[in-house]
Amino acid sequence: MSDRIAASLRQLFEENRIVFWYDADRDMRAEFEAVDLPGVTKLEIANNEFGLKYRILRQEPKGRFLLFKDGPEPEMAENWLLDVQLASTVFKADQAAIWLAELGLPLQFENVVRGHIEFFRAKVRVEALKRLMQASDTQTQMRLRMLAVCAGAEGGLDTVIEALLGELAVGKDDALRLIERSGLTDFFWKQVDQAYGYKADEPDFEDFAIALFQSAYARALAEDGALNAEALLVFRRWKNNRHWADAFETLSERYQELLKIADDLAARDFRTVVAIDHFELIDRHIIRQIVQSMSSQTVSAPEVLGWVRERRQSHWYPTYEDIYQAIGFATEFQQALAEANLGMTSAAEGVRRYVSSWFRLDQLYRKFIYHMQKSGQASLLADLYASVENRYTNSFVLALNDAWQDQIANLNEWKVPGYPSQADFYREQAAEYRRKDQKVAVIISDALRFEVAEECLRRIRALDRFDAELKPMISSLPSYTQLGMAALLPHSALAMAEDGSGDILSDGENTKGLAAREKLLAAGRKGDTAKALKSEDVMNMRTEDGKALFRDHHIVYVYHNRIDAIGDKLQTEDKLPEAAEDAIEDLTKLVRKLTSANFSNILITADHGFLYQHRALDESDFAIADPQGTEILFRNRRFVIGRGLASTPGMKHFSATGLGLSGDLDVLIPNSINRMRVKGAGSRFVHGGASLQEIVVPVIRVGKQRETDVGQVDVQIFVTGRSLISSGQTAVTLYQAQPVSEKMRPRELLAGIYATDGTLVSDEYTLMFDFRSDNAREREMPRKFLLSREADRFNNQDVILKLRERVGKTSHYQDYATHRFQLRRGITTDFDF
């Protein structure tokens, strides 16, 4: 105890020259005599008041004195040192006085300490309270800070509520029991009543929590709730705080059934709750209604995309992201299809229009299927899927390739004017670098369709200091792996093997396998060293091995196989959309790996594309006539190789010469997208034919820049009218100045209104600005901010709307953008908005 007395006295002497000590119970003399305070003179009051006064005021006016009296403090009329005492301070040696002294608080707070003595028995709580206390605090504010200490919070009543909700979610009541032991329960419920309007004969925290959820939901719908508007504000802050995400989800799930939210939603149009996310059931209701409306075609594409954008800010969006993504891609697909004119007057026009816009329909369909599968909610999206599948198959793929077939029918030679042929790839594109004496790496990704490559292009361009361009190339026909791979190698003449294997010969040499391809590659240019290897071998290389690969070879062919490996198997063809996503990820990593090995010239291309439809095919999708000829050597779903093949209804006939190949073999290709029956083969993923999706293959040229070229979107604050807040809420529009693109990344910001001293006086939002639309109106984010009761303290002052950005991965934020308002509210009420 002596140590604590000494510490308390030292604290008092920091601000006082004279300290009085009355030993009312005459049991503290030993402690007084034991105290040794450097620079402080100990004197005893014993009928020597006038002598003491003369000494301490006249003789030693700058000295510090501890005046001890053995007995109680005299009545004021009999206290001859009263004037000195009033100008100084009094030390009390009982436990409550010591705590009061430790906190540096005047005597008027003594009743608070004595009234909640249990709180102060733990030194850690006293120290925590000391950190929170401010010089201007009242007794009520002191008790509020004591509540914060009990709850492990560091703010006002709202943070205490947040902490107690957190404990409630995990089935604990430690803080509530400490509040009870500290004698703060009645005070707590009085504050909750005053702040949030919670009234109960026997207040209970879970009852309050239920009322909080119910009222917040009702008030978000502009209806009356059991609690006031301040309760909605504290609910929003808690819900939007990532720290309390798990607690919010637990209690939300617990109370949505109790509050019969499902029944309530059933009676509401989903549009009335599209901005509310208090319960997970709201998202499910919105999704069901949107899907139903899309299936019945009673909503427009802009409406659907607007709702999906709104739900991106929902707490539950990560749970339902794939469903919302599927809805968004389905909507974009339907909108693009409605705007598409699938006609063409030449083969060149067909390719031009496919690579400029039509490919996007294949891409949107694939993305829809991918997210539908990933969501695991195929039944929920069943009607939407049926609509998209039907339109994709009949109104796009079939209609497009029927029109394309009219152009194919007129061709005797397989060439499309104005577009490079795959057979010329090495000479015209890969060897171009060698003619400049530059090294080059070529990545050949099996079945990398043009639309998948376009997405891959965007992914690569999003990398810092990377640039890339995409151009189309016309694949060899039939569009299958053996021929496509051979065509990409240096060669003078290619021929189809006559042994029924489907292999391709280059100047009589089989092109199958890495060793054969490397041999042909090395013969491409005299003096060149060449290497052919698999993509996984490159990815597994150590840094020094990668640099050695660059040092020792002039041209490197890297073979990647993700899409065809999955899609071209009956058992896994339904996983094609996932394989395409994985392929994009693979190729992006592969590009980075090669550039780290010093390759600055990289080409990415493919042997062929593919047709893909997710649903099982009908009989009408298969060619009717069986091919006839002298000898059928090889056949699959999309082509036949043979000798003396006769013209067959529903199929296009090409001679080897017409296809730019040597030999006297013939090829038959089913018209449009028809397949032939092949036992045991998959039919949803196919290639080998002449559809635009199969024969338009990509060539991506990748380059590396010296300077950083990636930035983040800018976000601006727009306020209509005067910058004045005169009610309990204010509305602003936050505007994303640029669309997100390959070189322009999203920005996440924390938005709230603050007083000039940094006090948060509104709700707070975490907002993601990742809009991709070129339409400026679709990059606007309207937001309403509710003011708290705390805002009343700052009436007739300026307040600041702040957009704050997280500093790296830390817990700190810095101001990104601000807008100053004048807060000028009249007589405030809980219901002025």
Side-chain angles (χ1 to χ4, degrees), residues 632-688:
I632 294 178
L633 297 173
F634 188 88
R635 65 180 288 173
N636 76 3
R637 293 285 193 189
R638 290 287 287 158
F639 68 94
V640 177
I641 299 174
R643 180 175 283 106
L645 295 181
S647 295
T648 304
M651 304 182 83
K652 170 65 178 175
H653 177 275
F654 283 101
S655 66
T657 303
L659 296 175
L661 302 172
S662 300
D664 60 353
L665 298 182
D666 298 317
V667 173
L668 289 175
I669 306 287
N671 290 348
S672 189
I673 64 170
N674 289 327
R675 280 87 154 155
M676 290 184 290
R677 295 178 181 84
V678 175
K679 187 175 182 180
S683 60
R684 291 188 279 185
F685 172 94
V686 294
H687 59 85

Side-chain angles (χ1 to χ4, degrees), residues 609-626:
F610 60 85
L611 284 170
Y612 177 76
Q613 293 154 261
H614 186 63
R615 70 167 176 82
L617 271 64
D618 297 327
E619 280 297 312
S620 59
D621 295 307
F622 293 91
I624 297 174
D626 284 329

